[in-house]
């Protein structure tokens, strides 16, 4: 969304910006729509009420300060664990339908270290978060790809540590089937694939394991996505793709 508006990914989009675009998508497909709400747009209550009314199925909420940065950039700042717990409780209290999911994302591992990240995840789960999302590779415009092993090295210690103590569902951000295969034994419930099944091996993983997948419609790759992308009609392209997937 920030890229579409010509903004850097530092929390400049508003509730109106994101909710309007989300409504245009959710109203034309029966597939569940998941929306990244950054840090909650100042009021988690208003934000959840808005997106639930607009037919969205779930939201991503993260624990950075309001002027957040892409999770794979340096110099990130987190709000306190207690502040994030309040946001999650406000979000959970605001939803009318228990099937509307609150997905949380923490950048604690790169800021505070693994042990404090696990403490945060425990507190977030106790506050009512439904899913925790973990990513190992940046998808921001212009970002460089990392190797399969480097991505595994970033994700595996976090997933292992979570599963030592918690049963909270885990969503993994990855467009590499090899990475996902390494993590599946840790009961990964959702694959967040920004390349929208551009690698057919994901289809076999889905069929064999019953794992869910979240698809992000994007032309090209993060390195080249801003090199004259030919989106004639972004909304129509997305609808056609969703219909193609069934």
């Amino acid at each position: 969304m920030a890229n579409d508006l010509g903004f850097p990914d530092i929390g400049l989009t508003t509730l109106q910006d994101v909710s309007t675009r989300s409504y245009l998508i959710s109203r034309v497909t029966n597939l569940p729509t998941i929306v990244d709400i950054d840090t909650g747009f100042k009021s988690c209550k208003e934000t959840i009420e808005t997106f639930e009314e607009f037919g969205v199925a779930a939201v991503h909420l993260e624990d950075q300060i309001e002027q957040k940065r892409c999770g794979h950039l340096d110099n990130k700042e987190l709000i306190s664990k207690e502040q994030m717990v309040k946001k999650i409780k406000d979000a959970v209290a605001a939803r009318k339908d228990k099937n509307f999911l609150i997905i949380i994302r923490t950048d604690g591992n790169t800021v505070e270290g693994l042990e404090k990240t696990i403490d945060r995840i425990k507190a977030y789960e106790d506050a009512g978060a439904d899913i925790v999302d973990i990513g190992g590779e940046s998808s921001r415009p212009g970002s460089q790809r990392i190797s399969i092993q480097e991505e595994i090295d970033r994700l595996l210690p976090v997933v292992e540590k979570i599963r030592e103590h918690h049963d909270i569902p885990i969503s993994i951000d990855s467009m590499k089937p090899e990475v996902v295969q390494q993590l599946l034994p840790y009961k990964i419930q959702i694959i967040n694939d920004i390349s929208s099944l551009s690698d057919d091996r994901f289809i076999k993983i889905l069929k064999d394991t019953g794992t869910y997948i979240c698809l992000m419609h994007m032309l090209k790759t993060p390195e080249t996505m801003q090199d004259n992308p030919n989106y004639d009609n972004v909304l129509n392209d997305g609808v056609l793709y969703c219909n193609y997937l069934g």
Side-chain angles (χ1 to χ4, degrees), residues 178-222:
E178 299 92 341
V179 172
V180 173
Q181 286 282 15
Q182 288 287 321
L183 299 174
L184 282 175
Y186 297 92
K187 296 188 293 185
I188 304 302
Q189 280 84 357
I190 302 174
I191 304 163
N192 190 15
D193 177 19
I194 67 164
S195 67
S196 289
L197 293 177
S198 60
D199 192 318
D200 290 342
R201 289 176 295 172
F202 270 127
I203 297 175
K204 185 176 188 309
I205 291 175
L206 300 178
K207 288 181 177 179
D208 290 347
T209 65
T211 306
Y212 293 98
I213 191 162
C214 176
L215 302 175
M216 176 175 165
H217 182 58
M218 179 182 71
L219 288 178
K220 305 184 180 181
T221 65

Side-chain angles (χ1 to χ4, degrees), residues 44-198:
C44 284
K45 179 180 184 297
E46 180 185 2
T47 297
I48 298 304
E49 290 173 346
T50 299
F51 283 103
E52 188 171 8
E53 181 182 352
F54 283 0
V56 169
V59 294
H60 276 247
L61 177 66
E62 58 187 273
D63 59 2
Q64 289 192 41
I65 62 172
E66 188 175 322
Q67 293 296 310
K68 50 86 65 180
R69 295 171 64 81
C70 173
H72 298 282
L73 294 176
D74 295 330
N75 302 315
K76 296 181 292 293
E77 287 185 61
L78 306 184
I79 60 175
S80 70
K81 179 175 67 177
E82 292 73 22
Q83 288 173 309
M84 185 62 176
V85 164
K86 182 181 184 304
K87 284 189 176 187
I88 295 169
K89 288 182 176 180
D90 288 346
V92 171
R95 66 181 175 187
K96 297 181 178 67
D97 185 348
K98 66 179 182 180
N99 294 312
F100 182 95
L101 301 179
I102 311 298
I103 304 171
I104 58 99
R105 178 189 164 177
T106 177
D107 287 295
N109 193 37
T110 57
V111 177
E112 299 178 331
L114 184 55
E115 293 301 327
K116 287 188 176 181
T117 297
I118 299 303
D119 288 342
R120 281 180 175 265
I121 290 172
K122 174 64 166 64
Y124 299 166
E125 182 181 16
D126 291 345
D130 299 295
I131 301 171
V132 58
D133 179 67
I134 303 170
E137 180 176 27
S138 176
S139 59
R140 65 185 175 87
S143 60
Q144 300 297 309
R145 302 293 302 273
I146 62 175
S147 69
I148 292 169
Q149 190 57 53
E150 186 175 357
E151 189 172 349
I152 291 172
D153 290 344
R154 290 180 181 182
L155 291 171
L156 188 56
V158 182
V159 173
E160 283 182 327
K161 199 70 174 177
I162 292 173
R163 281 293 173 253
E164 283 180 15
H165 305 283
H166 310 294
D167 290 324
I168 187 170
I170 296 176
S171 169
I172 292 294
D173 296 353
S174 184
M175 58 183 117
K176 300 186 182 77
E178 299 92 341
V179 172
V180 173
Q181 286 282 15
Q182 288 287 321
L183 299 174
L184 282 175
Y186 297 92
K187 296 188 293 185
I188 304 302
Q189 280 84 357
I190 302 174
I191 304 163
N192 190 15
D193 177 19
I194 67 164
S195 67
S196 289
L197 293 177
S198 60

Side-chain angles (χ1 to χ4, degrees), residues 31-45:
L31 290 174
T33 302
I34 301 176
V35 179
D36 184 350
I37 61 171
D38 290 339
T39 60
F41 303 117
K42 298 183 179 179
S43 170
C44 284
K45 179 180 184 297

